[in-house]
């Protein structure tokens, strides 16, 4: 049974794991930032770990093939880590190409079919990592695309993985350097994509890592998410109770409508309900559907429903 | 003072026609929309409606043979479909009646299904739909586009806090109509009776 009530959901949030997309131009510090997540295992498809300062390096697997990577997902190191970092998503897709051609006959002949296989495998892979209870960080280089007068940054990746990767992501941000500051933006802008959630949105400055400074930006961010989720859940729960009760009461009022007279009376009853979240709009939609079904229309002149 | 009807579709048609990268016929199409000329439904429009109907069927407890519509229908369990709203806005010294129909709403989130032939993440980032619908449904704080491209389902999510208001879009649209001597046509065709 996968259906969960509010209490079960709340319990699940205690051990919430996050999927996050980190994008940016080469050299802005994406890998170092990713390594600030809790207990990480870096999957280095880019062979770029040497560019990370020694004190910030963590457990790393360098992969020469996709099969090698899949084998590493069976190791104790993988089982014991809390966060898995895919660095980069673009290189992972490149590594998947010979694997896809070897495992699928159609993919071996047809490039489009190959990217279809990769897309499916990428979805399976990210679902597996999440189901294994890992935070998942997917790093992407960015490329610039001219769109009208605006230069937009896009994830650098072949095929459509760059489009599907945002759906399971809780958070996504693009790193830019402004003066001496490094900024990650979790909100979409004219120039770049972003995805905020759990109260995390907009620009956040990434602290400078001087020697000896612990690298824990994402660990702290995840803790903020946990706290925000708990706070939002508490606020939402009280509103949701009113919302559920109002929707149930309002739906019963609407179900009892039989003609213009009862429809007009229902408007007053619905107006007297205590609303929360979008209960007012939703009951309005249900009323619209019901009166349409009965062939009624609202007559402003007499403030009542009449036959259409 | 007259009340001018404005919809996200009209704004979208205008923006598409004037973004500089659209096909040549985009401007002609915008003029037809401005003139409220009825056009026959294209196969794409029919497919979009069919997909949305299938999603609605699943929400209502029915069974769909479309696995992608089923996936979205299950996600939207308990949502209310087809909610119409309107709101009078005062922009550039005029009264505009913003009108829209949300595909689905549930507990503070607006959902809109999109059946497309080609999809790239960020397709709806510049859309006027979520700014318009956040104005129409002030209690909603999240807008999620549920997109299907024939092969996969995708989602694009926008938060109220990250979304620009709709009024500047209307202001720019009004300036465009005046500059291009189209305001009289608009007023004639879109004035609320």
């Amino acid at each position: 049974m996968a259906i969960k009530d509010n209490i079960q959901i709340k319990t699940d949030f205690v051990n919430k794991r996050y999927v996050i997309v980190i994008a940016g131009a080469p050299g802005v510090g994406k890998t170092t930032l990713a390594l600030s997540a809790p207990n990480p295992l870096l999957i280095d498809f880019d062979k770029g770990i040497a560019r990370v300062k020694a004190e910030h390096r963590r457990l790393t697997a360098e992969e020469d093939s996709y099969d090698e990577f899949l084998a590493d997902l069976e190791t104790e190191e993988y089982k014991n880590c809390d966060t898995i970092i895919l660095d980069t998503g673009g290189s992972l897709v490149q590594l998947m190409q010979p694997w896809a051609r070897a495992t699928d006959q159609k993919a071996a002949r047809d490039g489009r079919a190959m990217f279809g296989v990769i897309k499916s495998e990428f979805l399976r892979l990210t679902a597996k990592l999440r189901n294994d209870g890992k935070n998942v960080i997917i790093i992407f280089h960015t490329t610039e695309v001219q769109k009208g007068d605006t230069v937009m940054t896009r994830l650098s990746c072949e095929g459509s993985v760059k489009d599907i990767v945002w759906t399971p992501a809780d958070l996504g941000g693009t790193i830019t350097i402004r003066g001496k500051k490094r900024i990650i933006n979790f909100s979409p802008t004219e120039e770049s994509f972003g995805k905020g959630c759990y109260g995390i949105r907009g620009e956040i400055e990434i602290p400078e890592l001087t020697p000896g400074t612990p690298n824990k930006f994402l660990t702290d961010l995840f803790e903020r998410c946990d706290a925000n989720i708990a706070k939002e859940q508490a606020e939402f729960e009280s509103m949701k109770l009113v919302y559920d009760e109002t929707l149930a009461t309002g739906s019963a009022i609407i179900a009892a409508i039989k003609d213009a007279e009862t429809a007009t009376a229902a408007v007053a009853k619905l107006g007297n309900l205590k609303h929360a979240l979008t209960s007012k709009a939703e009951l309005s939609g249900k009323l619209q559907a019901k009166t349409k079904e009965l062939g009624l229309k609202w007559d402003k002149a007499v403030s009542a429903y009449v036959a259409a | 003072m007259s009340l001018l009807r404005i919809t996200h579709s009209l704004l979208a048609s205008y923006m598409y026609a004037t973004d500089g990268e659209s096909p040549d016929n985009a401007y002609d199409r915008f003029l037809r929309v401005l003139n409220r000329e009825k056009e026959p439904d294209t196969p794409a429009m029919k497919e979009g409606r069919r997909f949305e109907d299938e999603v609605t069927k699943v929400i209502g407890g029915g069974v769909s043979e479309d696995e992608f519509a089923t996936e979205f229908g299950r996600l939207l369990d308990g949502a209310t479909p087809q909610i119409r709203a309107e709101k009078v806005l005062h922009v550039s010294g005029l009264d505009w009646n913003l009108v829209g129909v949300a595909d689905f709403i549930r507990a503070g989130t607006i959902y809109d299904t999109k059946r497309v032939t080609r999809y790239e993440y960020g397709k709806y980032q510049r859309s006027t739909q979520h700014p318009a619908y956040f104005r129409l449904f002030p209690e909603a704080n999240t807008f999620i586009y549920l997109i299907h491209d024939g092969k996969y389902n995708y989602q694009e999510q926008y938060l109220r806090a990250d979304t620009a208001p709709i009024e500047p879009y209307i202001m720019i649209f009004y300036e465009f109509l005046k500059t291009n001597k189209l305001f009289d046509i608009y007023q004639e065709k879109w004035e609320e009776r």
Side-chain angles (χ1 to χ4, degrees):
Chain A
M1 180 85 163
I3 298 169
K4 297 171 183 179
D5 62 23
N6 250 355
I7 294 163
Q8 286 171 301
I9 288 170
K10 191 164 63 176
T11 310
D12 280 0
F13 284 157
V14 173
N15 291 312
K16 167 77 181 158
R17 299 296 183 169
Y18 299 96
V19 178
I20 174 167
V21 172
I22 296 176
V28 295
K30 299 183 292 293
T31 306
T32 304
L33 184 77
L35 288 166
S36 70
N39 186 23
L41 168 60
L42 175 72
I43 308 296
D44 186 11
F45 298 112
D46 256 9
K47 306 273 168 54
I49 186 63
R51 293 192 291 272
V52 174
K53 280 185 184 169
E55 70 173 298
H56 301 310
R57 289 178 202 151
R58 295 289 179 271
L59 203 57
T60 301
E62 286 192 337
E63 311 292 6
D64 290 315
S65 72
Y66 188 62
D67 283 320
E68 197 176 297
F69 167 56
L70 291 178
D72 278 342
L73 297 184
E74 303 299 325
T75 59
E76 285 303 309
E77 287 83 356
Y78 170 75
K79 285 174 189 158
N80 293 332
C81 78
D82 293 316
T83 302
I84 186 149
I85 302 166
L86 307 178
D87 186 8
T88 60
S91 298
L92 167 62
V93 167
Q94 283 184 340
L95 217 55
M96 280 176 162
Q97 292 178 25
W99 171 88
R101 284 193 294 265
T103 52
D104 188 286
Q105 284 188 347
K106 203 173 170 197
R109 295 191 306 269
D110 175 357
R112 281 189 65 182
M114 179 188 71
F115 280 113
V117 171
I118 288 172
K119 199 172 187 177
S120 300
E121 174 61 10
F122 186 85
L123 288 172
R124 186 204 66 80
L125 173 69
T126 47
K128 173 195 162 42
L129 300 177
R130 290 164 70 198
N131 291 338
D132 288 347
K134 311 296 179 191
N135 297 306
V136 183
I137 300 177
I138 310 168
I139 296 174
F140 285 93
H141 292 304
T142 51
T143 52
E144 293 188 338
V145 179
Q146 186 82 29
K147 177 88 178 167
D149 295 334
T150 311
V151 177
M152 302 186 78
T153 58
R154 290 276 183 270
L155 302 186
S156 177
C157 181
E158 291 179 274
S160 50
V161 161
K162 62 183 180 296
D163 302 315
I164 57 169
V165 73
W166 293 93
T167 299
D170 298 291
L171 297 164
T174 303
I175 302 176
T176 50
I177 294 176
R178 201 176 300 154
K180 288 184 176 174
K181 291 180 177 174
R182 285 190 307 141
I183 311 280
I184 183 163
N185 194 342
F186 290 105
S187 293
T189 67
E190 283 285 297
E191 292 83 25
S192 62
F193 296 141
K195 186 174 181 182
C197 210
Y198 313 124
I200 305 297
R201 51 172 292 275
E203 293 187 346
I204 301 178
E205 187 180 339
I206 302 166
E208 190 185 349
L209 286 175
T210 51
T213 307
N215 183 22
K216 60 188 188 68
F217 180 89
L218 287 180
T219 302
D220 292 346
L221 190 83
F222 291 170
E223 282 173 11
R224 264 177 71 190
C225 287
D226 290 343
N228 288 342
I229 287 170
K231 186 167 168 274
E232 279 177 15
Q233 178 67 15
E235 289 168 358
F236 182 77
E237 256 176 55
S238 59
M239 286 193 288
K240 184 75 166 42
L241 281 174
V242 179
Y243 167 85
D244 286 339
E245 196 178 317
T246 304
L247 265 194
T249 310
S251 298
I253 292 169
I254 292 165
I257 294 173
K258 290 182 172 54
D259 50 27
E261 194 181 335
T262 49
T264 305
V267 173
K269 287 180 193 168
L270 292 172
N272 288 333
L273 295 177
K274 186 182 175 189
H275 288 283
L277 299 170
T278 41
S279 61
K280 193 174 179 182
E282 290 180 60
L283 287 172
S284 165
K286 289 177 194 294
L287 180 66
Q288 288 163 22
K290 181 73 177 187
T291 50
K292 189 178 173 188
E293 180 190 314
L294 293 171
L296 304 173
K297 67 169 186 182
W298 183 254
D299 186 335
K300 282 183 189 171
V302 293
S303 289
Y305 274 102
V306 296
Chain B
M1 186 183 275
S2 65
L3 187 59
L4 301 163
R5 176 176 286 222
I6 186 86
T7 65
H8 140 68
S9 304
L10 176 61
L11 287 172
S13 175
Y14 147 70
M15 287 178 68
Y16 185 60
T18 56
D19 85 347
E21 292 182 354
S22 303
D24 292 342
N25 62 0
Y27 194 81
D28 292 337
R29 193 180 178 284
F30 161 66
L31 291 178
R32 288 198 295 275
V33 173
L34 190 71
N35 279 287
R36 301 190 88 163
E37 288 175 20
K38 290 274 182 204
E39 291 192 59
D41 287 351
T42 62
M45 288 159 76
K46 286 178 187 165
E47 171 57 14
R49 261 204 306 278
R50 182 204 67 78
F51 187 70
E52 190 184 323
D53 288 346
E54 290 299 302
V55 174
T56 306
K57 190 200 288 182
V58 175
I59 295 172
V63 176
S64 171
E65 288 182 5
D66 186 322
E67 61 175 306
F68 299 103
T70 301
E71 184 186 324
F72 281 152
R74 287 180 180 158
L75 179 79
L76 290 168
D77 183 34
T80 306
Q82 293 294 304
I83 304 176
R84 185 183 188 280
E86 53 184 83
K87 189 174 282 283
V88 176
L89 307 178
H90 193 70
V91 179
S92 299
L94 298 171
D95 286 333
W96 308 75
N97 193 29
L98 180 65
V99 178
V101 181
D103 280 357
F104 306 98
I105 299 182
R106 185 184 60 194
T109 302
I110 304 166
Y111 299 88
D112 195 87
T113 54
K114 299 285 185 198
R115 177 67 174 88
V116 297
T117 49
R118 193 172 168 276
Y119 173 69
E120 186 178 64
Y121 186 82
K123 188 179 175 90
Y124 301 102
Q125 191 159 322
R126 293 176 171 202
S127 172
T128 51
Q129 187 162 7
H130 52 285
Y133 283 38
F134 277 138
R135 196 75 174 85
L136 287 170
F137 300 100
E139 302 86 3
N141 285 318
T142 308
F143 188 113
I144 300 177
Y145 294 94
L146 300 172
I147 306 136
H148 177 57
D149 69 355
K151 281 184 172 178
Y152 295 95
N153 282 351
Y154 309 83
Q155 294 182 34
E156 262 187 54
Q157 172 190 292
Y158 293 91
L159 305 178
R160 175 181 292 279
D162 292 330
T163 301
I166 191 66
E167 282 85 344
Y169 292 99
I170 298 174
M171 203 182 292
I172 293 166
F173 174 61
Y174 173 56
E175 291 301 324
F176 169 82
L177 292 176
K178 279 199 308 181
T179 305
N180 291 279
K181 300 189 180 356
L182 292 169
F183 184 72
D184 287 346
I185 296 173
Y186 170 67
Q187 195 167 27
E188 183 196 331
K189 301 288 182 184
W190 291 79
E191 190 171 352
E192 299 282 18
R193 309 287 172 204

